[in-house]
Amino acid sequence: MIRAIVLTTLVAGGTLAAFEAQQPAAQDAKVVEVEKLKDNLFVLKGGGGNTAVFVTTTGVVVVDTKIPGWGQPIMDKVKELTNKPITTIINTHTHYDHVSGNVEFPATVDVVVQENTRANMERMGPVLGRESVTTGPNIFTQNGGRGLPKHTFTDRMTLFKGADQIDLYYFGRGHTNGDAFVVFPALRVMHAGDIFARKGPPLLDANNGGSGVAIGDTLAKAYAGIKGVDKIITGHADVMGFQDMKEYSDFNKDFLAWAEKEMKAGKSVEAAAAEYTIPAPYKGYTPNADQTKSNIGVVYNELKK
Ligand SMILES: [Zn+2]
């Protein structure tokens, strides 16, 4: 049993190290990897967040467009998958590794986001803890506003009909204050973006409305409110089961309860961060000490208000 756990940890660590080592080379070559989920639904990996490509009867919907320079590689890959035109982009949230490719698509392509995400994209302010790579000119301003959202929704919106239907949901603050859940009901699949990026500490981007107090509840509301989904396309990791989102909600609620206790005990952010370990029920989750420390700071700030 112990041997199995050690092996799992080694494999997880090895995969992550290999992925990080590959990143610069993959960026130069801009290799888009395709994972086919259904006959008309694909996940494109590389160059930032996971991109979903949904081929409808009349055109192609792209969910998230990766880091700068990866819009064209996405378009090239879509051409290999279908001869239908790309009609629509949906961005799950504002982050540069999910929206920057927008500016490379034809100006006629519709762009749909949650309304707070539009406001965030108009600013493109630095991401908490990622300031070094996210401080600089707004890529949309640089491109004359191309790629900015044309349509927004508040809590819920449906695009298209029948087998082409897409349901968009917003359940509250989490990773940012504009995290959309993008559901393909005919396929029983959803793209959750970075509110469920991976099994590990989330990036709580307080600079863009993210909340450590709300994220667990928001995920619970999504789990309760979205029906008929079996598989989740995560922001940056592999496809997971719908039940994994319930577990991830609990993980975040447990973190909040723990951080609240640490704060009440008078622990500094640093002292609390030094104590934190991934709780036993979440075996296999990848620890991230820097992110954990940042998240404790975010929760403390919210609880002080
Ligand atoms: Zn993000």
Side-chain angles (χ1 to χ4, degrees):
M1 189 63 192
I2 285 168
R3 200 169 153 222
I5 291 166
V6 169
L7 193 64
T8 307
T9 309
L10 280 175
V11 168
T15 307
L16 192 68
F19 172 74
E20 280 163 3
Q22 274 168 17
Q23 266 189 326
Q27 235 160 290
D28 291 334
K30 296 198 173 69
V31 177
V32 176
E33 280 175 41
V34 180
E35 183 183 348
K36 183 178 178 176
L37 290 191
K38 304 278 177 181
D39 284 342
N40 63 333
L41 182 65
F42 306 86
V43 181
L44 306 192
K45 297 189 166 182
N50 288 330
T51 295
V53 171
F54 180 51
V55 182
T56 76
T57 49
T58 54
V60 179
V61 179
V62 172
V63 183
D64 286 354
T65 60
K66 307 188 182 292
I67 58 175
W70 284 72
Q72 190 60 52
I74 292 171
M75 286 185 272
D76 293 345
K77 191 54 77 176
V78 168
K79 260 188 201 150
E80 292 174 20
L81 301 171
T82 174
N83 53 18
K84 289 175 182 172
I86 296 169
T87 59
T88 311
I89 291 169
I90 298 165
N91 297 118
T92 57
H93 66 292
T94 189
H95 285 157
Y96 77 108
D97 54 333
H98 298 257
V99 305
S100 296
N102 283 22
V103 302
E104 298 163 48
F105 286 75
T108 50
V109 171
D110 197 7
V111 181
V112 184
V113 302
Q114 202 277 340
E115 63 184 5
N116 299 328
T117 288
R118 172 151 74 182
N120 291 335
M121 287 168 76
E122 283 165 357
R123 286 187 306 115
M124 287 304 280
V127 177
L128 186 69
R130 306 284 190 283
E131 288 82 359
S132 61
V133 284
T134 54
T135 303
N138 180 328
I139 192 167
F140 300 110
T141 311
Q142 284 181 310
N143 285 273
R146 184 145 148 185
L148 277 173
K150 298 174 184 177
H151 291 102
T152 61
F153 71 101
T154 305
D155 296 316
R156 174 96 200 253
M157 182 159 79
T158 292
L159 305 173
F160 316 119
K161 283 187 175 142
D164 296 341
Q165 186 170 327
I166 298 174
D167 295 325
L168 302 175
Y169 297 85
Y170 175 72
F171 290 103
R173 296 165 66 199
H175 176 63
T176 68
N177 64 352
D179 305 310
F181 295 83
V182 182
V183 178
F184 310 103
L187 304 180
R188 303 181 66 86
V189 178
M190 156 172 104
H191 195 324
D194 280 357
I195 196 164
F196 191 9
R198 60 177 62 78
K199 288 192 172 184
L203 195 173
L204 301 174
D205 182 9
N207 289 354
N208 285 286
S211 167
V213 170
I215 189 169
D217 285 338
T218 300
L219 286 160
K221 282 178 196 162
Y223 182 75
I226 296 172
K227 306 288 178 201
V229 167
D230 302 323
K231 284 184 174 175
I232 299 179
I233 299 167
T234 57
H236 289 267
D238 289 335
V239 171
M240 294 191 192
F242 192 63
Q243 189 65 30
D244 290 314
M245 188 165 69
K246 168 75 170 77
E247 181 190 88
Y248 197 53
S249 165
D250 293 341
F251 172 79
N252 282 286
K253 286 183 183 180
D254 286 355
F255 179 79
L256 171 63
W258 171 84
E260 202 165 2
K261 221 168 60 190
E262 294 289 285
M263 190 170 142
K264 280 192 184 136
K267 299 272 170 67
S268 68
V269 170
E270 289 71 21
E275 283 177 11
Y276 183 77
T277 53
I278 303 273
Y282 309 104
K283 195 161 73 87
Y285 277 51
T286 309
N288 183 333
D290 289 342
Q291 192 62 61
T292 296
K293 190 170 154 189
S294 172
N295 291 353
I296 295 166
V298 169
V299 169
Y300 276 23
N301 283 338
E302 286 186 71
L303 292 176
K304 273 181 219 154
K305 279 177 190 163

PDB file of all heavy atoms in Angstrom, residues 27-53:
ATOM      1  N   GLN A  27       6.631  25.809 -26.970  1.00  0.00           N
ATOM      2  CA  GLN A  27       6.217  27.172 -27.289  1.00  0.00           C
ATOM      3  C   GLN A  27       6.843  27.618 -28.615  1.00  0.00           C
ATOM      4  O   GLN A  27       6.187  28.233 -29.434  1.00  0.00           O
ATOM      5  CB  GLN A  27       6.666  28.113 -26.178  1.00  0.00           C
ATOM      6  CG  GLN A  27       5.524  28.926 -25.599  1.00  0.00           C
ATOM      7  CD  GLN A  27       5.866  29.451 -24.228  1.00  0.00           C
ATOM      8  OE1 GLN A  27       5.948  28.702 -23.280  1.00  0.00           O
ATOM      9  NE2 GLN A  27       6.082  30.734 -24.133  1.00  0.00           N
ATOM     10  N   ASP A  28       8.135  27.293 -28.803  1.00  0.00           N
ATOM     11  CA  ASP A  28       8.801  27.664 -30.055  1.00  0.00           C
ATOM     12  C   ASP A  28       8.135  26.984 -31.242  1.00  0.00           C
ATOM     13  O   ASP A  28       7.850  27.593 -32.253  1.00  0.00           O
ATOM     14  CB  ASP A  28      10.283  27.266 -30.003  1.00  0.00           C
ATOM     15  CG  ASP A  28      11.038  28.132 -28.993  1.00  0.00           C
ATOM     16  OD1 ASP A  28      10.605  29.267 -28.740  1.00  0.00           O
ATOM     17  OD2 ASP A  28      12.044  27.657 -28.473  1.00  0.00           O
ATOM     18  N   ALA A  29       7.905  25.675 -31.085  1.00  0.00           N
ATOM     19  CA  ALA A  29       7.346  24.893 -32.190  1.00  0.00           C
ATOM     20  C   ALA A  29       5.832  25.066 -32.279  1.00  0.00           C
ATOM     21  O   ALA A  29       5.249  24.791 -33.312  1.00  0.00           O
ATOM     22  CB  ALA A  29       7.706  23.430 -31.998  1.00  0.00           C
ATOM     23  N   LYS A  30       5.212  25.528 -31.222  1.00  0.00           N
ATOM     24  CA  LYS A  30       3.746  25.676 -31.135  1.00  0.00           C
ATOM     25  C   LYS A  30       3.028  24.393 -31.587  1.00  0.00           C
ATOM     26  O   LYS A  30       2.283  24.384 -32.572  1.00  0.00           O
ATOM     27  CB  LYS A  30       3.271  26.884 -31.932  1.00  0.00           C
ATOM     28  CG  LYS A  30       3.790  28.207 -31.382  1.00  0.00           C
ATOM     29  CD  LYS A  30       2.990  29.394 -31.874  1.00  0.00           C
ATOM     30  CE  LYS A  30       3.390  30.692 -31.208  1.00  0.00           C
ATOM     31  NZ  LYS A  30       4.730  31.177 -31.593  1.00  0.00           N
ATOM     32  N   VAL A  31       3.313  23.329 -30.858  1.00  0.00           N
ATOM     33  CA  VAL A  31       2.700  22.035 -31.160  1.00  0.00           C
ATOM     34  C   VAL A  31       1.360  21.917 -30.438  1.00  0.00           C
ATOM     35  O   VAL A  31       1.310  21.935 -29.218  1.00  0.00           O
ATOM     36  CB  VAL A  31       3.636  20.873 -30.749  1.00  0.00           C
ATOM     37  CG1 VAL A  31       2.946  19.531 -30.993  1.00  0.00           C
ATOM     38  CG2 VAL A  31       4.949  20.962 -31.493  1.00  0.00           C
ATOM     39  N   VAL A  32       0.290  21.838 -31.206  1.00  0.00           N
ATOM     40  CA  VAL A  32      -1.038  21.655 -30.634  1.00  0.00           C
ATOM     41  C   VAL A  32      -1.359  20.166 -30.641  1.00  0.00           C
ATOM     42  O   VAL A  32      -1.386  19.537 -31.700  1.00  0.00           O
ATOM     43  CB  VAL A  32      -2.103  22.426 -31.452  1.00  0.00           C
ATOM     44  CG1 VAL A  32      -3.500  22.143 -30.908  1.00  0.00           C
ATOM     45  CG2 VAL A  32      -1.816  23.921 -31.432  1.00  0.00           C
ATOM     46  N   GLU A  33      -1.580  19.611 -29.455  1.00  0.00           N
ATOM     47  CA  GLU A  33      -1.942  18.191 -29.366  1.00  0.00           C
ATOM     48  C   GLU A  33      -3.452  18.059 -29.292  1.00  0.00           C
ATOM     49  O   GLU A  33      -4.107  18.820 -28.590  1.00  0.00           O
ATOM     50  CB  GLU A  33      -1.317  17.580 -28.116  1.00  0.00           C
ATOM     51  CG  GLU A  33       0.146  17.220 -28.286  1.00  0.00           C
ATOM     52  CD  GLU A  33       0.750  16.735 -26.977  1.00  0.00           C
ATOM     53  OE1 GLU A  33       0.085  15.975 -26.255  1.00  0.00           O
ATOM     54  OE2 GLU A  33       1.883  17.154 -26.694  1.00  0.00           O
ATOM     55  N   VAL A  34      -3.983  17.079 -30.003  1.00  0.00           N
ATOM     56  CA  VAL A  34      -5.435  16.889 -30.059  1.00  0.00           C
ATOM     57  C   VAL A  34      -5.840  15.652 -29.279  1.00  0.00           C
ATOM     58  O   VAL A  34      -5.265  14.583 -29.447  1.00  0.00           O
ATOM     59  CB  VAL A  34      -5.917  16.723 -31.524  1.00  0.00           C
ATOM     60  CG1 VAL A  34      -7.436  16.516 -31.556  1.00  0.00           C
ATOM     61  CG2 VAL A  34      -5.531  17.931 -32.352  1.00  0.00           C
ATOM     62  N   GLU A  35      -6.835  15.833 -28.424  1.00  0.00           N
ATOM     63  CA  GLU A  35      -7.461  14.693 -27.755  1.00  0.00           C
ATOM     64  C   GLU A  35      -8.922  14.661 -28.208  1.00  0.00           C
ATOM     65  O   GLU A  35      -9.661  15.621 -27.995  1.00  0.00           O
ATOM     66  CB  GLU A  35      -7.369  14.870 -26.235  1.00  0.00           C
ATOM     67  CG  GLU A  35      -7.924  13.689 -25.459  1.00  0.00           C
ATOM     68  CD  GLU A  35      -7.881  13.908 -23.939  1.00  0.00           C
ATOM     69  OE1 GLU A  35      -7.228  14.861 -23.473  1.00  0.00           O
ATOM     70  OE2 GLU A  35      -8.533  13.123 -23.242  1.00  0.00           O
ATOM     71  N   LYS A  36      -9.312  13.575 -28.852  1.00  0.00           N
ATOM     72  CA  LYS A  36     -10.693  13.460 -29.328  1.00  0.00           C
ATOM     73  C   LYS A  36     -11.570  12.915 -28.212  1.00  0.00           C
ATOM     74  O   LYS A  36     -11.348  11.800 -27.730  1.00  0.00           O
ATOM     75  CB  LYS A  36     -10.739  12.528 -30.544  1.00  0.00           C
ATOM     76  CG  LYS A  36     -12.115  12.390 -31.153  1.00  0.00           C
ATOM     77  CD  LYS A  36     -12.077  11.495 -32.380  1.00  0.00           C
ATOM     78  CE  LYS A  36     -13.471  11.318 -32.945  1.00  0.00           C
ATOM     79  NZ  LYS A  36     -13.439  10.528 -34.193  1.00  0.00           N
ATOM     80  N   LEU A  37     -12.581  13.710 -27.803  1.00  0.00           N
ATOM     81  CA  LEU A  37     -13.493  13.247 -26.753  1.00  0.00           C
ATOM     82  C   LEU A  37     -14.743  12.620 -27.349  1.00  0.00           C
ATOM     83  O   LEU A  37     -15.283  11.652 -26.822  1.00  0.00           O
ATOM     84  CB  LEU A  37     -13.913  14.408 -25.847  1.00  0.00           C
ATOM     85  CG  LEU A  37     -12.861  15.007 -24.922  1.00  0.00           C
ATOM     86  CD1 LEU A  37     -13.512  15.939 -23.922  1.00  0.00           C
ATOM     87  CD2 LEU A  37     -12.084  13.924 -24.189  1.00  0.00           C
ATOM     88  N   LYS A  38     -15.239  13.239 -28.424  1.00  0.00           N
ATOM     89  CA  LYS A  38     -16.421  12.754 -29.147  1.00  0.00           C
ATOM     90  C   LYS A  38     -16.150  13.009 -30.624  1.00  0.00           C
ATOM     91  O   LYS A  38     -15.188  13.690 -30.965  1.00  0.00           O
ATOM     92  CB  LYS A  38     -17.680  13.536 -28.712  1.00  0.00           C
ATOM     93  CG  LYS A  38     -17.969  13.519 -27.225  1.00  0.00           C
ATOM     94  CD  LYS A  38     -18.699  12.260 -26.796  1.00  0.00           C
ATOM     95  CE  LYS A  38     -18.914  12.256 -25.280  1.00  0.00           C
ATOM     96  NZ  LYS A  38     -19.596  11.053 -24.815  1.00  0.00           N
ATOM     97  N   ASP A  39     -17.037  12.533 -31.495  1.00  0.00           N
ATOM     98  CA  ASP A  39     -16.828  12.762 -32.934  1.00  0.00           C
ATOM     99  C   ASP A  39     -16.730  14.243 -33.268  1.00  0.00           C
ATOM    100  O   ASP A  39     -16.043  14.625 -34.213  1.00  0.00           O
ATOM    101  CB  ASP A  39     -17.975  12.130 -33.743  1.00  0.00           C
ATOM    102  CG  ASP A  39     -17.828  10.614 -33.822  1.00  0.00           C
ATOM    103  OD1 ASP A  39     -16.704  10.121 -33.565  1.00  0.00           O
ATOM    104  OD2 ASP A  39     -18.823   9.929 -34.105  1.00  0.00           O
ATOM    105  N   ASN A  40     -17.427  15.097 -32.501  1.00  0.00           N
ATOM    106  CA  ASN A  40     -17.433  16.532 -32.799  1.00  0.00           C
ATOM    107  C   ASN A  40     -16.957  17.386 -31.618  1.00  0.00           C
ATOM    108  O   ASN A  40     -17.304  18.550 -31.512  1.00  0.00           O
ATOM    109  CB  ASN A  40     -18.826  16.992 -33.243  1.00  0.00           C
ATOM    110  CG  ASN A  40     -19.860  16.816 -32.138  1.00  0.00           C
ATOM    111  OD1 ASN A  40     -19.713  15.947 -31.278  1.00  0.00           O
ATOM    112  ND2 ASN A  40     -20.886  17.641 -32.150  1.00  0.00           N
ATOM    113  N   LEU A  41     -16.171  16.772 -30.716  1.00  0.00           N
ATOM    114  CA  LEU A  41     -15.610  17.538 -29.588  1.00  0.00           C
ATOM    115  C   LEU A  41     -14.171  17.112 -29.326  1.00  0.00           C
ATOM    116  O   LEU A  41     -13.900  15.928 -29.119  1.00  0.00           O
ATOM    117  CB  LEU A  41     -16.457  17.353 -28.329  1.00  0.00           C
ATOM    118  CG  LEU A  41     -15.986  18.149 -27.107  1.00  0.00           C
ATOM    119  CD1 LEU A  41     -16.114  19.659 -27.326  1.00  0.00           C
ATOM    120  CD2 LEU A  41     -16.766  17.745 -25.857  1.00  0.00           C
ATOM    121  N   PHE A  42     -13.290  18.096 -29.347  1.00  0.00           N
ATOM    122  CA  PHE A  42     -11.861  17.836 -29.194  1.00  0.00           C
ATOM    123  C   PHE A  42     -11.274  18.765 -28.133  1.00  0.00           C
ATOM    124  O   PHE A  42     -11.752  19.880 -27.944  1.00  0.00           O
ATOM    125  CB  PHE A  42     -11.138  18.098 -30.522  1.00  0.00           C
ATOM    126  CG  PHE A  42     -11.718  17.347 -31.685  1.00  0.00           C
ATOM    127  CD1 PHE A  42     -12.796  17.856 -32.409  1.00  0.00           C
ATOM    128  CD2 PHE A  42     -11.199  16.106 -32.049  1.00  0.00           C
ATOM    129  CE1 PHE A  42     -13.341  17.158 -33.485  1.00  0.00           C
ATOM    130  CE2 PHE A  42     -11.737  15.398 -33.119  1.00  0.00           C
ATOM    131  CZ  PHE A  42     -12.810  15.922 -33.835  1.00  0.00           C
ATOM    132  N   VAL A  43     -10.219  18.277 -27.462  1.00  0.00           N
ATOM    133  CA  VAL A  43      -9.446  19.141 -26.569  1.00  0.00           C
ATOM    134  C   VAL A  43      -8.108  19.389 -27.239  1.00  0.00           C
ATOM    135  O   VAL A  43      -7.422  18.442 -27.639  1.00  0.00           O
ATOM    136  CB  VAL A  43      -9.226  18.489 -25.183  1.00  0.00           C
ATOM    137  CG1 VAL A  43      -8.433  19.425 -24.277  1.00  0.00           C
ATOM    138  CG2 VAL A  43     -10.558  18.129 -24.540  1.00  0.00           C
ATOM    139  N   LEU A  44      -7.738  20.673 -27.383  1.00  0.00           N
ATOM    140  CA  LEU A  44      -6.429  21.031 -27.950  1.00  0.00           C
ATOM    141  C   LEU A  44      -5.529  21.454 -26.802  1.00  0.00           C
ATOM    142  O   LEU A  44      -5.853  22.388 -26.059  1.00  0.00           O
ATOM    143  CB  LEU A  44      -6.557  22.161 -28.972  1.00  0.00           C
ATOM    144  CG  LEU A  44      -7.546  21.982 -30.125  1.00  0.00           C
ATOM    145  CD1 LEU A  44      -7.327  23.061 -31.185  1.00  0.00           C
ATOM    146  CD2 LEU A  44      -7.439  20.609 -30.764  1.00  0.00           C
ATOM    147  N   LYS A  45      -4.398  20.770 -26.685  1.00  0.00           N
ATOM    148  CA  LYS A  45      -3.478  21.033 -25.573  1.00  0.00           C
ATOM    149  C   LYS A  45      -2.211  21.728 -26.053  1.00  0.00           C
ATOM    150  O   LYS A  45      -1.843  21.618 -27.224  1.00  0.00           O
ATOM    151  CB  LYS A  45      -3.141  19.728 -24.864  1.00  0.00           C
ATOM    152  CG  LYS A  45      -4.359  19.091 -24.229  1.00  0.00           C
ATOM    153  CD  LYS A  45      -3.989  17.914 -23.347  1.00  0.00           C
ATOM    154  CE  LYS A  45      -5.183  17.554 -22.473  1.00  0.00           C
ATOM    155  NZ  LYS A  45      -4.897  16.453 -21.555  1.00  0.00           N
ATOM    156  N   GLY A  46      -1.530  22.387 -25.121  1.00  0.00           N
ATOM    157  CA  GLY A  46      -0.309  23.131 -25.424  1.00  0.00           C
ATOM    158  C   GLY A  46      -0.589  24.621 -25.442  1.00  0.00           C
ATOM    159  O   GLY A  46      -1.725  25.040 -25.711  1.00  0.00           O
ATOM    160  N   GLY A  47       0.435  25.428 -25.114  1.00  0.00           N
ATOM    161  CA  GLY A  47       0.292  26.879 -25.239  1.00  0.00           C
ATOM    162  C   GLY A  47      -0.676  27.526 -24.270  1.00  0.00           C
ATOM    163  O   GLY A  47      -1.332  28.499 -24.618  1.00  0.00           O
ATOM    164  N   GLY A  48      -0.749  26.993 -23.055  1.00  0.00           N
ATOM    165  CA  GLY A  48      -1.635  27.603 -22.058  1.00  0.00           C
ATOM    166  C   GLY A  48      -2.765  26.676 -21.681  1.00  0.00           C
ATOM    167  O   GLY A  48      -2.584  25.463 -21.616  1.00  0.00           O
ATOM    168  N   GLY A  49      -3.942  27.240 -21.451  1.00  0.00           N
ATOM    169  CA  GLY A  49      -5.086  26.449 -20.990  1.00  0.00           C
ATOM    170  C   GLY A  49      -5.602  25.506 -22.056  1.00  0.00           C
ATOM    171  O   GLY A  49      -5.347  25.679 -23.257  1.00  0.00           O
ATOM    172  N   ASN A  50      -6.350  24.506 -21.615  1.00  0.00           N
ATOM    173  CA  ASN A  50      -6.971  23.556 -22.539  1.00  0.00           C
ATOM    174  C   ASN A  50      -8.033  24.262 -23.383  1.00  0.00           C
ATOM    175  O   ASN A  50      -8.882  24.973 -22.856  1.00  0.00           O
ATOM    176  CB  ASN A  50      -7.637  22.412 -21.767  1.00  0.00           C
ATOM    177  CG  ASN A  50      -6.619  21.466 -21.161  1.00  0.00           C
ATOM    178  OD1 ASN A  50      -5.527  21.275 -21.700  1.00  0.00           O
ATOM    179  ND2 ASN A  50      -6.976  20.864 -20.022  1.00  0.00           N
ATOM    180  N   THR A  51      -7.977  24.032 -24.697  1.00  0.00           N
ATOM    181  CA  THR A  51      -8.955  24.591 -25.634  1.00  0.00           C
ATOM    182  C   THR A  51      -9.926  23.493 -26.035  1.00  0.00           C
ATOM    183  O   THR A  51      -9.494  22.386 -26.357  1.00  0.00           O
ATOM    184  CB  THR A  51      -8.232  25.118 -26.891  1.00  0.00           C
ATOM    185  OG1 THR A  51      -7.392  26.210 -26.516  1.00  0.00           O
ATOM    186  CG2 THR A  51      -9.215  25.578 -27.956  1.00  0.00           C
ATOM    187  N   ALA A  52     -11.240  23.790 -26.009  1.00  0.00           N
ATOM    188  CA  ALA A  52     -12.227  22.839 -26.529  1.00  0.00           C
ATOM    189  C   ALA A  52     -12.641  23.294 -27.924  1.00  0.00           C
ATOM    190  O   ALA A  52     -12.809  24.494 -28.170  1.00  0.00           O
ATOM    191  CB  ALA A  52     -13.443  22.771 -25.616  1.00  0.00           C
ATOM    192  N   VAL A  53     -12.790  22.330 -28.830  1.00  0.00           N
ATOM    193  CA  VAL A  53     -13.272  22.611 -30.186  1.00  0.00           C
ATOM    194  C   VAL A  53     -14.542  21.797 -30.390  1.00  0.00           C
ATOM    195  O   VAL A  53     -14.512  20.564 -30.359  1.00  0.00           O
ATOM    196  CB  VAL A  53     -12.207  22.232 -31.241  1.00  0.00           C
ATOM    197  CG1 VAL A  53     -12.795  22.308 -32.646  1.00  0.00           C
ATOM    198  CG2 VAL A  53     -10.989  23.133 -31.121  1.00  0.00           C
TER     199      VAL A  53
END
